[in-house]
Amino acid sequence: MARKPRNGPASDPELLILLSLAEGPKHGYAIMTDVLAVSDVRLGPGTLYTAITRLVERKLIAPEATAGRQRPYRITSLGSKTLAAQLNDMRRVASIGFARLRTV
Amino acid sequence: MTARRRVVDLLLRIYPREWRREYGAELAELLVTSRIDVRAVVDVLWHGFRQRVRSDPAVLLGIAAMLGSLALLIANLVSPRPFGGWTTVLEPSAMTVPGVRVSAVVGDVFSILFVACGWWTYRRRRGTPSQAGWAAAAACLLAGVPVMLLGALLLLGVVDVSVVGPGHAAGGIHARLAFTYYSAGDHSVSPLAVMLFPLSRMPIAWLWGSLGGCIGRWT
């Protein structure tokens, strides 16, 4: 993700949205409440839709056709691969970090 | 339409039209149905501004130019230099209407900026070279805001003018904040002319922007 998140990589809005959509398609409000429940990060409405715009442009998520005003989004296969790669990176860095903390 | 809906629609005006067409209804629905506090309003305004800068090069370049001209004006106010110094911002002119030249918005850098603005706008949004010209004119208006503000301050008497000629440094300490006006002859400066000057540059900016749009079409 291009932007450096303020409270570490685990609070990056784009990562959190991908994580939320990995469970299944959701609309904006559902993403917001899910992100708050999972990570305790309250995404502002502007932050949420800026991140959604970027993810759609990068083809990591896609809007689903709907008749209502709240359009659900689903994660694409490219989005799933990107999320998996990022989580693997985080796991690798985290495991190195924990191993080093044990030696201190 | 409820009052809340009207406020939300007004709030979303900060986002560019193309963005609103794609995501506006969703964000409006989210704002109408969820709790809005000051933090959420600031968040929407900030991200709306970012989207506008991102999608409209004229806003980005206009703000950059505005900061540039503001820095020049402040440099002139706080550090008056001898005639011909780099902070020479206000000069009399027989070639322009109004008869004052504000170099902060007429320099070669600004001409290049307006061409670049037209080129970038055309590459980003397509349309016509004329539309790219209008974008450059808007950037010119943004760039001129500090100059217009200075004109207003001169008009209100908040800022004084200290006229200096060749070989003379601007005076030391003034009773009030003084702007240095560089004149080779015996010229005075009209605050109204300063205030209107950026508007008079808009047609030129439109021409440079249209040229940039044409270059964008050819390249």
Side-chain angles (χ1 to χ4, degrees), chain B residues 91-182:
Chain B
E91 294 167 31
S93 168
M95 303 291 286
T96 57
V97 177
V100 61
R101 189 176 180 273
V102 186
S103 59
V105 286
V106 296
D108 293 340
V109 174
F110 275 81
S111 305
I112 294 166
L113 182 100
F114 296 139
V115 173
C117 180
W119 176 82
W120 194 3
T121 303
Y122 186 86
R123 301 292 292 184
R124 176 69 64 87
R125 308 171 87 173
R126 296 294 161 187
T128 62
S130 165
Q131 284 168 331
W134 281 113
C140 173
L141 193 64
L142 268 176
V145 166
V147 176
M148 288 192 269
L149 202 65
L150 172 75
L153 291 176
L154 289 170
L155 202 65
L156 293 170
V158 177
V159 174
D160 269 342
V161 178
S162 161
V163 182
V164 295
H168 296 97
I173 299 164
H174 295 269
R176 282 186 294 176
L177 203 56
F179 194 85
T180 314
Y181 180 67
Y182 298 88

Side-chain angles (χ1 to χ4, degrees), chain A:
Chain A
M1 311 278 160
R3 226 165 12 87
K4 191 180 169 190
R6 254 173 290 172
N7 302 312
S11 65
D12 179 20
E14 293 175 32
L15 177 79
L16 292 172
I17 292 169
L18 285 178
L19 199 68
S20 176
L21 295 181
E23 192 188 39
K26 291 186 186 75
H27 54 67
Y29 184 75
I31 296 171
M32 257 168 88
T33 49
D34 185 50
V35 164
L36 183 62
V38 167
S39 61
D40 208 25
V41 172
R42 187 184 291 278
L43 292 179
T47 307
L48 174 73
Y49 273 92
T50 296
I52 286 178
T53 307
R54 266 202 297 264
L55 289 168
V56 170
E57 281 171 2
R58 292 169 61 201
K59 298 185 175 17
L60 301 182
I61 65 172
E64 299 220 299
T66 178
R69 293 184 76 123
Q70 280 279 17
R71 197 166 42 158
Y73 291 87
R74 64 175 170 76
I75 193 164
T76 61
S77 56
L78 179 63
S80 299
K81 279 180 200 157
T82 305
L83 176 63
Q86 285 194 1
L87 293 177
N88 272 327
D89 283 350
M90 287 168 77
R91 181 162 55 190
R92 189 174 51 79
V93 172
S95 62
I96 293 169
F98 281 124
R100 287 184 180 176
L101 279 174
R102 272 196 293 275
T103 60
V104 173

Side-chain angles (χ1 to χ4, degrees), chain B:
Chain B
M1 189 185 272
T2 63
R4 186 172 176 145
R5 183 94 218 176
R6 263 195 291 271
V7 170
V8 164
D9 284 348
L10 205 66
L11 204 60
L12 293 189
R13 286 289 176 98
I14 195 163
Y15 283 87
R17 192 179 296 146
E18 298 81 20
W19 191 93
R20 286 205 307 267
R21 206 176 295 137
E22 191 64 30
Y23 301 100
E26 286 174 57
L27 182 53
E29 191 67 16
L30 182 68
L31 290 170
V32 166
T33 52
S34 61
R35 188 170 58 90
I36 308 184
D37 51 14
V38 177
R39 214 170 129 188
V41 171
V42 171
D43 182 71
V44 168
L45 288 174
W46 169 241
H47 283 277
F49 173 72
R50 282 183 60 185
Q51 278 304 335
R52 196 166 272 278
V53 167
R54 199 164 164 253
S55 72
D56 195 350
V59 176
L60 180 67
L61 293 174
I63 288 172
M66 183 170 76
L67 293 176
S69 56
L70 184 67
L72 271 177
L73 295 179
I74 290 172
N76 180 291
L77 277 171
V78 300
S79 164
R81 298 294 172 95
F83 184 75
W86 63 272
T87 56
T88 301
V89 181
L90 274 187
E91 294 167 31
S93 168
M95 303 291 286
T96 57
V97 177
V100 61
R101 189 176 180 273
V102 186
S103 59
V105 286
V106 296
D108 293 340
V109 174
F110 275 81
S111 305
I112 294 166
L113 182 100
F114 296 139
V115 173
C117 180
W119 176 82
W120 194 3
T121 303
Y122 186 86
R123 301 292 292 184
R124 176 69 64 87
R125 308 171 87 173
R126 296 294 161 187
T128 62
S130 165
Q131 284 168 331
W134 281 113
C140 173
L141 193 64
L142 268 176
V145 166
V147 176
M148 288 192 269
L149 202 65
L150 172 75
L153 291 176
L154 289 170
L155 202 65
L156 293 170
V158 177
V159 174
D160 269 342
V161 178
S162 161
V163 182
V164 295
H168 296 97
I173 299 164
H174 295 269
R176 282 186 294 176
L177 203 56
F179 194 85
T180 314
Y181 180 67
Y182 298 88
S183 170
D186 185 23
H187 292 97
S188 59
V189 59
S190 155
L192 201 63
V194 174
M195 220 163 108
L196 296 178
F197 185 78
L199 298 176
S200 75
R201 300 305 300 170
M202 285 177 73
I204 304 288
W206 179 85
L207 275 175
W208 284 122
S210 299
L211 176 69
C214 289
I215 295 170
R217 182 181 268 182
W218 297 328
T219 52

